[in-house]
Amino acid sequence: MTGHRTTRLAPSPTGALHLGNARTFLATWLMARQAGWRIALRIEDLDGPRIKTEAATGAIEDLQWLGLDWDGSIIRQSDRRALYQAAINDLMARGAVYPCVCSRRDVELAASAPHAEDGAAIYPGTCRGRYASIEAARRDSGREPSIRFMVPDGPDGIVAFVDRIHGARRVDVGRELGDFTIAKADGTPAYQLAVVVDDLDMRVTEVIRADDLLDSTPRQILLYRAMGNELHIPQYCHLPLVVGADGRRLAKRHGDTRISHYRRCGVTAGRMLALLARWCGMDVRDDVEAQELIKRFDVTKMMGGPTVFSAEDEATLLK
Ligand code: GLU
């Protein structure tokens, strides 16, 4: 592919930036600045009541504090609803999606056996081909329908892609993940749809994110195909997660790991960056600046699996 390459930082302001997100953003920023890619900042603030306004502002401040910058103005998903709605209408017109009136509980009950890797029940296809239109679904069920993507049967539902870290992947989406939601019953676009619409619109060519989203990639590739945009499928790089000493992904149970917490404790940006850089496989001991790390970054050093946030790491930060 020729032309300019672009990646994005895409924080979800459902909570403040924590050490794990910050490390993903540092690696993304370093990879992009090293290769001369453009970096967009996109705030993923569609998730209704879970979104906290101050968390978006906080994430931006934390990035700035770390010395991570971006190119162009900030994009907010909440400003772009018309774009998502147009994509939903288009997919509907193409017959690629269908209205679904099943509640989460219906799906759980119907799908007693198979579960996707991420633990979600695989949708059994109850509403596939059931209603001629959204209006018919609403009228016949008395419920507000969500919209689901119809994973093509047979070979068209199989997705192969190469990830910079995880290598060649091949997923039978119908069997392993099932039909997935692209718009919720309240009309909110679902994550899978919004990301694809935005990445296309923003001409993102490099998706770098944590590998808890690895299962989203084949779903998103099917959306590119269904929208007639197969040529614009980005290159993917899924970074191993930061986990606690118990091996589980960093969360509240591991204490307060928010960047803002450490800032309040007087930790300097340089010391924080040094820890995050070590977690990106770099040999740094002292306070550093983001700029100094650009030349030294090597993403292949992140291939060894999850990084453990140890008591020693915490002590180094707070010393
Ligand atoms: N907003 C997502 C997150 O914070 C990232 C989405 C993406 O990179 O596709 O985990």
Side-chain angles (χ1 to χ4, degrees):
M1 203 189 293
T2 54
H4 218 70
R5 301 195 71 76
T6 298
T7 191
R8 76 294 198 280
L9 308 173
S12 290
T14 45
L17 217 65
H18 63 59
L19 293 172
N21 313 127
R23 188 270 211 145
T24 300
F25 293 144
L26 174 63
T28 306
W29 186 88
L30 289 172
M31 223 166 139
R33 288 290 177 246
Q34 191 175 68
W37 303 335
R38 189 173 176 277
I39 302 176
L41 175 60
R42 179 171 80 221
I43 309 292
E44 304 211 321
D45 57 354
L46 284 177
D47 206 359
R50 295 179 58 219
I51 298 298
K52 302 177 187 84
T53 323
E54 62 291 353
T57 318
I60 294 166
E61 275 172 21
D62 288 343
L63 289 171
Q64 287 168 330
W65 180 73
L66 287 167
L68 307 185
D69 59 354
W70 54 91
D71 308 304
S73 45
I74 301 174
I75 307 251
R76 287 170 206 274
Q77 289 190 326
S78 54
D79 292 337
R80 294 158 68 83
R81 287 185 187 263
L83 206 60
Y84 310 125
Q85 193 53 52
I88 294 167
N89 296 347
D90 175 57
L91 287 167
M92 204 69 202
R94 290 173 185 258
V97 298
Y98 59 91
C100 170
V101 298
C102 298
S103 65
R104 187 167 299 183
R105 194 173 144 70
D106 293 337
V107 179
E108 282 294 336
L109 288 174
S112 48
H115 276 66
E117 253 177 49
D118 57 12
I122 295 178
Y123 185 64
T126 321
C127 289
R128 250 196 192 217
R130 194 173 177 193
Y131 302 110
S133 64
I134 295 178
E135 294 70 36
R138 196 178 282 139
R139 196 179 51 235
D140 292 2
S141 68
R143 290 183 184 174
E144 200 51 49
S146 61
I147 311 289
R148 245 176 226 280
F149 183 77
M150 193 175 342
V151 176
D153 294 323
D156 289 349
I158 295 176
V159 173
F161 65 99
V162 179
D163 183 88
R164 287 184 190 273
I165 300 252
H166 292 262
R169 313 272 306 177
R170 189 174 178 282
V171 183
D172 182 338
V173 183
R175 186 172 313 171
E176 296 172 43
L177 303 167
D179 291 354
F180 54 89
T181 304
I182 62 150
K184 300 177 192 168
D186 67 3
T188 309
Y191 160 72
Q192 308 292 0
L193 179 96
V195 163
V196 171
V197 169
D198 284 336
D199 285 344
L200 268 170
D201 181 65
M202 295 160 67
R203 299 174 196 275
V204 168
T205 57
E206 300 283 338
V207 167
I208 307 165
R209 58 189 173 200
D211 65 7
D212 54 343
L213 288 168
L214 194 54
D215 269 354
S216 288
T217 297
R219 295 171 171 125
Q220 291 172 12
I221 290 176
L222 286 181
L223 284 173
Y224 279 92
R225 288 190 194 160
M227 292 173 178
N229 275 303
E230 190 148 17
L231 290 177
H232 297 113
I233 295 170
Q235 167 75 54
Y236 291 95
C237 177
H238 287 87
L239 304 168
L241 287 175
V242 179
V243 297
D246 56 0
R248 295 166 74 186
R249 62 175 294 185
L250 222 51
K252 286 223 173 79
R253 73 180 87 89
H254 299 111
D256 193 347
T257 62
R258 291 175 299 176
I259 300 300
S260 55
H261 162 71
Y262 294 106
R263 286 176 67 179
R264 271 196 302 274
C265 293
V267 175
T268 61
R271 191 185 295 161
M272 174 61 76
L273 270 177
L275 175 66
L276 300 175
R278 285 197 291 279
W279 283 355
C280 293
M282 304 168 85
D283 185 16
V284 281
R285 298 264 158 258
D286 303 305
D287 284 0
V288 282
E289 278 185 28
Q291 292 288 342
E292 299 167 41
L293 299 169
I294 298 174
K295 274 213 201 79
R296 298 160 67 180
F297 179 69
D298 175 1
V299 75
T300 61
K301 298 254 167 68
M302 296 180 78
M303 286 180 167
T307 294
V308 180
F309 175 38
S310 63
E312 202 184 318
D313 290 332
E314 169 104 342
T316 323
L317 275 182
L318 297 174
K319 73 182 172 203

